[in-house]
Amino acid sequence: MTLPDTLSWLPIDPTFSSVSLILLGVILSTSIMADAVASRTRLPRISLLVLVGVGVAVVQQLGLDQPGGRPLDGLAEPLIQVALVMVAFLLGGELTLERLRLTGPLILIVSISVIGVGALAVGVGLLALGFPIVVAVSLAAISVATDPAAVQQTVRASGDTRLRARLLLGIVAIDDGWGILAFGFAMAVLGWMLSGDGELALIEAAWELGGALLLGIGIGLPAAWLTGRLAPGEPTQVEALALILLLAGISSWLGVSSLLAAMVTGALVANLSSHHTRSFNEIELIEWPFLVFFFVLSGASIDLYRFGDAFGLTLAYILLRLAGRYLGGLLGVHLARKRQAELPGSLGLALTPQAGVAMGMALLAAERFPEHGPMLLSAVVASTVIFEILGPLLVKRVLR
């Protein structure tokens, strides 16, 4: 039974397109309510939107008896893809040579330590607990990603300008970049391990990553040249939308990593264009509606009939990721001997917020390994809500 079937008693003819448009409007309306609730309760609006999506899943799967059904089934994948490409493009824009020179090796030492120890703790811990290797390796790669918005907003609200605050802002600027690379590598390794033809899987993995680099360069170089020659306003906005749609469409058509391709394009535009901020500003202006769709649809992707099976995995993932971030922060502070006294040992706990990119990776992993998809999605969606609520509190504690 589909949603239009449930409306058959009305004196109208609800088609897929009309119902889809109504649902899109309802989803956007929820973001307005989420903003109002977030401003009065201090709850992150991202978490509220994810909870709205979970509510949609409850109504659809339990109320309408549609197990495994997803709202906007024909539109969900393109909307999620566009939202992820926007996030990756903006992250690439943070990787400027000037920023990397200012942040220096200190950020690299701490960030690599945190993500390395954290991913190892999650992967080895889940394997030791008896979870399948696909689940363990996928969640280890997903654990690398951090929500930069939650960290940035908390640091800026605190007004802290000490080294620890600047270090956190520098790390989150590149953290999801590491996450995208780690996830692409993890998917390639799993494909090689699980495929009957190891050589073919290796070729496919090389194409997925190498092709993404080539696509990013192929779109990024002309985009950098064009950006410096367009006046601000509507032409720049059209250019920004064209970049996002081309990256999302061509990467899907060629079967390469859209996240890596978008990040490479963003980095090239940021470093080579004299007016690179124009394109990024235009995308930031139109990004939020797509992110609303992304967060709500991600929450709606949870399979409630499998949630009980994923409870143990969710709890283990949360505890292992927290432990890994803490231990990684301790190691990073120890290795960063210069000005070490100014850095707290609990620095890694301030990097626990996790949202959009992590859920996007979970959706991609679920598509790649459908037999483990419901368990992965349930664990990541549930843990995201916990991390988005707990994360800002940990950031404040580390700054204090």
Short mmCIF file of all heavy atoms in Angstrom, two decimals, residues 177-236:
data_model
loop_
_atom_site.label_atom_id
_atom_site.label_comp_id
_atom_site.label_asym_id
_atom_site.label_seq_id
_atom_site.Cartn_x
_atom_site.Cartn_y
_atom_site.Cartn_z
N GLY A 177 37.28 16.09 5.45
CA GLY A 177 38.12 15.73 4.31
C GLY A 177 38.82 14.41 4.56
O GLY A 177 38.85 13.52 3.68
N TRP A 178 39.38 14.26 5.76
CA TRP A 178 39.97 12.97 6.13
C TRP A 178 38.90 11.88 6.09
O TRP A 178 39.17 10.74 5.66
CB TRP A 178 40.55 13.03 7.55
CG TRP A 178 41.76 13.88 7.74
CD1 TRP A 178 41.91 14.89 8.63
CD2 TRP A 178 43.02 13.78 7.05
NE1 TRP A 178 43.18 15.44 8.54
CE2 TRP A 178 43.87 14.78 7.58
CE3 TRP A 178 43.50 12.96 6.04
CZ2 TRP A 178 45.17 14.97 7.13
CZ3 TRP A 178 44.79 13.14 5.58
CH2 TRP A 178 45.61 14.13 6.13
N GLY A 179 37.70 12.21 6.57
CA GLY A 179 36.63 11.22 6.61
C GLY A 179 36.25 10.73 5.22
O GLY A 179 36.04 9.53 5.01
N ILE A 180 36.17 11.66 4.27
CA ILE A 180 35.83 11.28 2.90
C ILE A 180 36.88 10.35 2.32
O ILE A 180 36.58 9.34 1.68
CB ILE A 180 35.65 12.54 2.03
CG1 ILE A 180 34.39 13.29 2.47
CG2 ILE A 180 35.57 12.18 0.56
CD1 ILE A 180 34.25 14.67 1.85
N LEU A 181 38.17 10.69 2.54
CA LEU A 181 39.25 9.85 2.03
C LEU A 181 39.24 8.48 2.72
O LEU A 181 39.42 7.45 2.07
CB LEU A 181 40.59 10.55 2.26
CG LEU A 181 40.83 11.81 1.44
CD1 LEU A 181 42.14 12.49 1.85
CD2 LEU A 181 40.87 11.50 -0.06
N ALA A 182 39.06 8.47 4.05
CA ALA A 182 39.04 7.20 4.78
C ALA A 182 37.88 6.32 4.34
O ALA A 182 38.03 5.10 4.18
CB ALA A 182 38.95 7.47 6.29
N PHE A 183 36.71 6.94 4.10
CA PHE A 183 35.55 6.17 3.69
C PHE A 183 35.76 5.58 2.29
O PHE A 183 35.44 4.41 2.05
CB PHE A 183 34.30 7.05 3.71
CG PHE A 183 33.04 6.34 3.34
CD1 PHE A 183 32.43 5.49 4.25
CD2 PHE A 183 32.47 6.50 2.09
CE1 PHE A 183 31.25 4.81 3.91
CE2 PHE A 183 31.31 5.84 1.75
CZ PHE A 183 30.70 4.99 2.66
N GLY A 184 36.28 6.39 1.38
CA GLY A 184 36.55 5.88 0.04
C GLY A 184 37.54 4.73 0.06
O GLY A 184 37.36 3.71 -0.64
N PHE A 185 38.58 4.85 0.88
CA PHE A 185 39.57 3.78 1.00
C PHE A 185 38.94 2.53 1.62
O PHE A 185 39.20 1.40 1.18
CB PHE A 185 40.75 4.25 1.84
CG PHE A 185 41.82 3.23 2.04
CD1 PHE A 185 42.68 2.91 1.01
CD2 PHE A 185 41.96 2.57 3.26
CE1 PHE A 185 43.67 1.95 1.18
CE2 PHE A 185 42.95 1.62 3.44
CZ PHE A 185 43.81 1.31 2.39
N ALA A 186 38.10 2.72 2.65
CA ALA A 186 37.46 1.58 3.31
C ALA A 186 36.54 0.82 2.36
O ALA A 186 36.53 -0.41 2.33
CB ALA A 186 36.68 2.06 4.53
N MET A 187 35.76 1.56 1.56
CA MET A 187 34.88 0.90 0.60
C MET A 187 35.68 0.14 -0.45
O MET A 187 35.30 -0.95 -0.89
CB MET A 187 33.98 1.94 -0.09
CG MET A 187 32.95 2.61 0.83
SD MET A 187 31.75 1.47 1.56
CE MET A 187 32.44 1.25 3.21
N ALA A 188 36.82 0.70 -0.85
CA ALA A 188 37.67 0.03 -1.82
C ALA A 188 38.25 -1.26 -1.24
O ALA A 188 38.27 -2.30 -1.90
CB ALA A 188 38.80 0.96 -2.27
N VAL A 189 38.72 -1.19 0.00
CA VAL A 189 39.29 -2.37 0.66
C VAL A 189 38.24 -3.46 0.84
O VAL A 189 38.49 -4.65 0.58
CB VAL A 189 39.91 -1.99 2.01
CG1 VAL A 189 40.29 -3.24 2.81
CG2 VAL A 189 41.14 -1.12 1.80
N LEU A 190 37.03 -3.07 1.28
CA LEU A 190 35.96 -4.06 1.46
C LEU A 190 35.57 -4.70 0.13
O LEU A 190 35.35 -5.92 0.06
CB LEU A 190 34.74 -3.40 2.09
CG LEU A 190 34.84 -3.07 3.59
CD1 LEU A 190 33.62 -2.30 4.05
CD2 LEU A 190 35.00 -4.35 4.41
N GLY A 191 35.50 -3.89 -0.92
CA GLY A 191 35.19 -4.44 -2.23
C GLY A 191 36.23 -5.45 -2.68
O GLY A 191 35.91 -6.50 -3.27
N TRP A 192 37.50 -5.16 -2.40
CA TRP A 192 38.58 -6.07 -2.77
C TRP A 192 38.54 -7.35 -1.94
O TRP A 192 38.75 -8.45 -2.45
CB TRP A 192 39.92 -5.36 -2.58
CG TRP A 192 41.10 -6.24 -2.84
CD1 TRP A 192 41.56 -6.65 -4.06
CD2 TRP A 192 41.97 -6.81 -1.87
NE1 TRP A 192 42.66 -7.45 -3.90
CE2 TRP A 192 42.94 -7.57 -2.57
CE3 TRP A 192 42.02 -6.76 -0.48
CZ2 TRP A 192 43.95 -8.26 -1.92
CZ3 TRP A 192 43.03 -7.46 0.18
CH2 TRP A 192 43.98 -8.19 -0.54
N MET A 193 38.23 -7.23 -0.64
CA MET A 193 38.22 -8.40 0.24
C MET A 193 37.04 -9.33 -0.02
O MET A 193 37.17 -10.55 0.06
CB MET A 193 38.18 -7.94 1.71
CG MET A 193 39.45 -7.25 2.19
SD MET A 193 39.30 -6.66 3.89
CE MET A 193 39.02 -8.20 4.76
N LEU A 194 35.88 -8.75 -0.33
CA LEU A 194 34.67 -9.54 -0.43
C LEU A 194 34.38 -10.02 -1.85
O LEU A 194 33.52 -10.88 -2.05
CB LEU A 194 33.47 -8.75 0.08
CG LEU A 194 33.57 -8.28 1.55
CD1 LEU A 194 32.36 -7.45 1.92
CD2 LEU A 194 33.71 -9.47 2.49
N SER A 195 35.07 -9.45 -2.81
CA SER A 195 34.80 -9.84 -4.20
C SER A 195 35.51 -11.15 -4.53
O SER A 195 36.61 -11.42 -4.06
CB SER A 195 35.28 -8.73 -5.14
OG SER A 195 35.17 -9.16 -6.49
N GLY A 196 34.87 -11.95 -5.36
CA GLY A 196 35.52 -13.17 -5.80
C GLY A 196 36.68 -12.89 -6.74
O GLY A 196 37.60 -13.69 -6.86
N ASP A 197 36.62 -11.75 -7.43
CA ASP A 197 37.69 -11.36 -8.35
C ASP A 197 38.43 -10.18 -7.73
O ASP A 197 38.02 -9.03 -7.87
CB ASP A 197 37.09 -10.99 -9.71
CG ASP A 197 38.16 -10.77 -10.78
OD1 ASP A 197 39.35 -10.63 -10.40
OD2 ASP A 197 37.82 -10.75 -11.97
N GLY A 198 39.51 -10.45 -7.03
CA GLY A 198 40.25 -9.40 -6.33
C GLY A 198 40.82 -8.37 -7.28
O GLY A 198 40.82 -7.17 -6.98
N GLU A 199 41.30 -8.80 -8.45
CA GLU A 199 41.89 -7.85 -9.39
C GLU A 199 40.85 -6.89 -9.93
O GLU A 199 41.09 -5.68 -10.04
CB GLU A 199 42.54 -8.62 -10.54
CG GLU A 199 43.26 -7.73 -11.55
CD GLU A 199 43.93 -8.53 -12.64
OE1 GLU A 199 43.98 -9.77 -12.53
OE2 GLU A 199 44.40 -7.91 -13.62
N LEU A 200 39.66 -7.41 -10.25
CA LEU A 200 38.58 -6.56 -10.75
C LEU A 200 38.14 -5.57 -9.68
O LEU A 200 37.90 -4.39 -9.97
CB LEU A 200 37.39 -7.42 -11.19
CG LEU A 200 36.16 -6.66 -11.69
CD1 LEU A 200 36.52 -5.82 -12.91
CD2 LEU A 200 35.02 -7.63 -12.02
N ALA A 201 38.03 -6.03 -8.43
CA ALA A 201 37.63 -5.13 -7.34
C ALA A 201 38.66 -4.03 -7.13
O ALA A 201 38.32 -2.88 -6.85
CB ALA A 201 37.45 -5.93 -6.05
N LEU A 202 39.95 -4.37 -7.27
CA LEU A 202 41.00 -3.38 -7.11
C LEU A 202 40.93 -2.33 -8.22
O LEU A 202 41.11 -1.13 -7.98
CB LEU A 202 42.37 -4.07 -7.12
CG LEU A 202 43.57 -3.23 -6.71
CD1 LEU A 202 43.39 -2.71 -5.28
CD2 LEU A 202 44.86 -4.03 -6.84
N ILE A 203 40.65 -2.78 -9.43
CA ILE A 203 40.51 -1.84 -10.56
C ILE A 203 39.32 -0.91 -10.33
O ILE A 203 39.39 0.30 -10.56
CB ILE A 203 40.35 -2.62 -11.88
CG1 ILE A 203 41.65 -3.36 -12.21
CG2 ILE A 203 39.97 -1.67 -13.02
CD1 ILE A 203 41.55 -4.27 -13.42
N GLU A 204 38.20 -1.48 -9.85
CA GLU A 204 37.01 -0.67 -9.59
C GLU A 204 37.28 0.36 -8.48
O GLU A 204 36.83 1.51 -8.56
CB GLU A 204 35.84 -1.57 -9.20
CG GLU A 204 35.31 -2.42 -10.34
CD GLU A 204 34.21 -3.35 -9.91
OE1 GLU A 204 33.99 -3.46 -8.68
OE2 GLU A 204 33.56 -3.96 -10.78
N ALA A 205 38.01 -0.05 -7.44
CA ALA A 205 38.32 0.86 -6.34
C ALA A 205 39.24 1.98 -6.83
O ALA A 205 39.06 3.16 -6.47
CB ALA A 205 38.98 0.10 -5.20
N ALA A 206 40.24 1.62 -7.65
CA ALA A 206 41.14 2.63 -8.20
C ALA A 206 40.38 3.62 -9.08
O ALA A 206 40.65 4.83 -9.05
CB ALA A 206 42.26 1.95 -8.99
N TRP A 207 39.41 3.12 -9.83
CA TRP A 207 38.63 4.02 -10.68
C TRP A 207 37.73 4.93 -9.83
O TRP A 207 37.59 6.11 -10.13
CB TRP A 207 37.76 3.22 -11.65
CG TRP A 207 36.72 4.06 -12.35
CD1 TRP A 207 35.38 3.96 -12.24
CD2 TRP A 207 36.97 5.15 -13.24
NE1 TRP A 207 34.76 4.93 -13.00
CE2 TRP A 207 35.71 5.67 -13.63
CE3 TRP A 207 38.12 5.74 -13.73
CZ2 TRP A 207 35.59 6.74 -14.49
CZ3 TRP A 207 38.00 6.82 -14.60
CH2 TRP A 207 36.75 7.31 -14.98
N GLU A 208 37.15 4.37 -8.77
CA GLU A 208 36.26 5.17 -7.94
C GLU A 208 36.99 6.36 -7.31
O GLU A 208 36.46 7.46 -7.25
CB GLU A 208 35.65 4.29 -6.84
CG GLU A 208 34.64 5.03 -5.97
CD GLU A 208 33.95 4.12 -4.99
OE1 GLU A 208 34.14 2.89 -5.07
OE2 GLU A 208 33.22 4.64 -4.12
N LEU A 209 38.24 6.13 -6.85
CA LEU A 209 39.01 7.21 -6.22
C LEU A 209 39.76 8.04 -7.27
O LEU A 209 39.71 9.26 -7.25
CB LEU A 209 39.99 6.62 -5.21
CG LEU A 209 39.37 5.84 -4.05
CD1 LEU A 209 40.45 5.32 -3.12
CD2 LEU A 209 38.39 6.70 -3.28
N GLY A 210 40.46 7.34 -8.19
CA GLY A 210 41.20 8.07 -9.22
C GLY A 210 40.29 8.82 -10.16
O GLY A 210 40.58 9.96 -10.57
N GLY A 211 39.17 8.20 -10.53
CA GLY A 211 38.22 8.89 -11.39
C GLY A 211 37.63 10.11 -10.73
O GLY A 211 37.36 11.13 -11.39
N ALA A 212 37.43 10.04 -9.41
CA ALA A 212 36.92 11.21 -8.68
C ALA A 212 37.93 12.35 -8.71
O ALA A 212 37.55 13.52 -8.87
CB ALA A 212 36.61 10.82 -7.24
N LEU A 213 39.21 12.02 -8.56
CA LEU A 213 40.25 13.06 -8.65
C LEU A 213 40.26 13.69 -10.04
O LEU A 213 40.33 14.92 -10.18
CB LEU A 213 41.62 12.46 -8.33
CG LEU A 213 41.87 12.05 -6.88
CD1 LEU A 213 43.20 11.31 -6.76
CD2 LEU A 213 41.87 13.27 -5.97
N LEU A 214 40.18 12.86 -11.08
CA LEU A 214 40.18 13.39 -12.44
C LEU A 214 38.94 14.25 -12.70
O LEU A 214 39.03 15.32 -13.34
CB LEU A 214 40.24 12.24 -13.44
CG LEU A 214 41.54 11.42 -13.46
CD1 LEU A 214 41.41 10.24 -14.42
CD2 LEU A 214 42.71 12.31 -13.86
N LEU A 215 37.79 13.79 -12.22
CA LEU A 215 36.56 14.57 -12.41
C LEU A 215 36.65 15.89 -11.67
O LEU A 215 36.25 16.95 -12.19
CB LEU A 215 35.36 13.77 -11.93
CG LEU A 215 34.00 14.49 -12.00
CD1 LEU A 215 33.67 14.86 -13.43
CD2 LEU A 215 32.90 13.60 -11.41
N GLY A 216 37.16 15.86 -10.43
CA GLY A 216 37.30 17.10 -9.67
C GLY A 216 38.22 18.09 -10.36
O GLY A 216 37.94 19.29 -10.40
N ILE A 217 39.32 17.60 -10.92
CA ILE A 217 40.24 18.48 -11.64
C ILE A 217 39.60 18.98 -12.93
O ILE A 217 39.70 20.16 -13.28
CB ILE A 217 41.55 17.73 -11.94
CG1 ILE A 217 42.29 17.41 -10.63
CG2 ILE A 217 42.45 18.55 -12.87
CD1 ILE A 217 43.49 16.51 -10.82
N GLY A 218 38.91 18.05 -13.64
CA GLY A 218 38.29 18.43 -14.91
C GLY A 218 37.22 19.49 -14.77
O GLY A 218 37.03 20.32 -15.67
N ILE A 219 36.49 19.49 -13.65
CA ILE A 219 35.47 20.52 -13.42
C ILE A 219 36.06 21.70 -12.63
O ILE A 219 35.69 22.85 -12.86
CB ILE A 219 34.27 19.91 -12.66
CG1 ILE A 219 33.56 18.89 -13.55
CG2 ILE A 219 33.30 21.00 -12.21
CD1 ILE A 219 32.35 18.25 -12.91
N GLY A 220 37.00 21.43 -11.74
CA GLY A 220 37.53 22.49 -10.88
C GLY A 220 38.36 23.52 -11.60
O GLY A 220 38.26 24.72 -11.32
N LEU A 221 39.19 23.10 -12.55
CA LEU A 221 40.05 24.07 -13.26
C LEU A 221 39.24 25.06 -14.10
O LEU A 221 39.43 26.27 -13.98
CB LEU A 221 41.07 23.32 -14.13
CG LEU A 221 42.16 22.55 -13.37
CD1 LEU A 221 43.07 21.80 -14.35
CD2 LEU A 221 42.98 23.51 -12.51
N PRO A 222 38.30 24.59 -14.94
CA PRO A 222 37.46 25.58 -15.66
C PRO A 222 36.62 26.43 -14.71
O PRO A 222 36.39 27.62 -14.97
CB PRO A 222 36.56 24.70 -16.55
CG PRO A 222 37.27 23.40 -16.66
CD PRO A 222 38.00 23.22 -15.37
N ALA A 223 36.14 25.83 -13.62
CA ALA A 223 35.32 26.59 -12.67
C ALA A 223 36.14 27.69 -12.02
O ALA A 223 35.65 28.81 -11.80
CB ALA A 223 34.75 25.65 -11.61
N ALA A 224 37.40 27.40 -11.67
CA ALA A 224 38.26 28.42 -11.07
C ALA A 224 38.51 29.56 -12.05
O ALA A 224 38.53 30.74 -11.66
CB ALA A 224 39.58 27.79 -10.63
N TRP A 225 38.69 29.24 -13.32
CA TRP A 225 38.90 30.28 -14.34
C TRP A 225 37.63 31.12 -14.51
O TRP A 225 37.69 32.34 -14.61
CB TRP A 225 39.29 29.62 -15.66
CG TRP A 225 39.46 30.59 -16.79
CD1 TRP A 225 40.58 31.30 -17.11
CD2 TRP A 225 38.46 30.98 -17.75
NE1 TRP A 225 40.35 32.10 -18.20
CE2 TRP A 225 39.06 31.93 -18.61
CE3 TRP A 225 37.13 30.63 -17.96
CZ2 TRP A 225 38.37 32.51 -19.67
CZ3 TRP A 225 36.44 31.20 -19.01
CH2 TRP A 225 37.05 32.14 -19.85
N LEU A 226 36.47 30.45 -14.52
CA LEU A 226 35.21 31.16 -14.77
C LEU A 226 34.81 32.02 -13.57
O LEU A 226 34.29 33.13 -13.74
CB LEU A 226 34.11 30.15 -15.09
CG LEU A 226 32.72 30.71 -15.42
CD1 LEU A 226 32.78 31.56 -16.68
CD2 LEU A 226 31.72 29.56 -15.60
N THR A 227 35.06 31.53 -12.37
CA THR A 227 34.62 32.24 -11.16
C THR A 227 35.23 33.63 -11.08
O THR A 227 34.57 34.59 -10.66
CB THR A 227 35.00 31.43 -9.91
OG1 THR A 227 34.33 30.18 -9.95
CG2 THR A 227 34.59 32.16 -8.64
N GLY A 228 36.49 33.77 -11.48
CA GLY A 228 37.14 35.07 -11.40
C GLY A 228 36.67 36.05 -12.46
O GLY A 228 37.09 37.22 -12.44
N ARG A 229 35.83 35.61 -13.39
CA ARG A 229 35.39 36.47 -14.48
C ARG A 229 33.90 36.76 -14.46
O ARG A 229 33.39 37.42 -15.36
CB ARG A 229 35.77 35.82 -15.82
CG ARG A 229 37.26 35.90 -16.07
CD ARG A 229 37.74 34.91 -17.13
NE ARG A 229 39.15 35.12 -17.42
CZ ARG A 229 40.14 34.70 -16.63
NH1 ARG A 229 39.86 34.06 -15.51
NH2 ARG A 229 41.41 34.93 -16.95
N LEU A 230 33.19 36.26 -13.46
CA LEU A 230 31.76 36.53 -13.34
C LEU A 230 31.52 37.58 -12.26
O LEU A 230 32.14 37.54 -11.20
CB LEU A 230 31.01 35.25 -12.97
CG LEU A 230 30.88 34.19 -14.05
CD1 LEU A 230 30.12 32.98 -13.51
CD2 LEU A 230 30.18 34.73 -15.29
N ALA A 231 30.62 38.49 -12.55
CA ALA A 231 30.26 39.50 -11.56
C ALA A 231 29.38 38.87 -10.50
O ALA A 231 28.69 37.88 -10.75
CB ALA A 231 29.53 40.66 -12.23
N PRO A 232 29.38 39.42 -9.27
CA PRO A 232 28.52 38.88 -8.22
C PRO A 232 27.05 38.98 -8.62
O PRO A 232 26.65 39.86 -9.38
CB PRO A 232 28.84 39.76 -7.01
CG PRO A 232 30.14 40.41 -7.31
CD PRO A 232 30.20 40.55 -8.80
N GLY A 233 26.24 38.08 -8.11
CA GLY A 233 24.80 38.12 -8.38
C GLY A 233 24.32 36.85 -9.03
O GLY A 233 24.84 35.76 -8.80
N GLU A 234 23.32 36.98 -9.90
CA GLU A 234 22.68 35.82 -10.49
C GLU A 234 23.61 34.95 -11.32
O GLU A 234 23.52 33.71 -11.25
CB GLU A 234 21.48 36.27 -11.33
CG GLU A 234 20.34 36.84 -10.49
CD GLU A 234 19.16 37.25 -11.34
OE1 GLU A 234 19.27 37.12 -12.58
OE2 GLU A 234 18.15 37.69 -10.78
N PRO A 235 24.54 35.52 -12.15
CA PRO A 235 25.44 34.63 -12.90
C PRO A 235 26.28 33.74 -11.98
O PRO A 235 26.49 32.56 -12.28
CB PRO A 235 26.32 35.61 -13.69
CG PRO A 235 25.50 36.84 -13.81
CD PRO A 235 24.72 36.93 -12.53
N THR A 236 26.75 34.28 -10.85
CA THR A 236 27.55 33.48 -9.94
C THR A 236 26.69 32.40 -9.29
O THR A 236 27.16 31.28 -9.07
CB THR A 236 28.15 34.37 -8.85
OG1 THR A 236 28.84 35.46 -9.47
CG2 THR A 236 29.14 33.59 -8.00
#
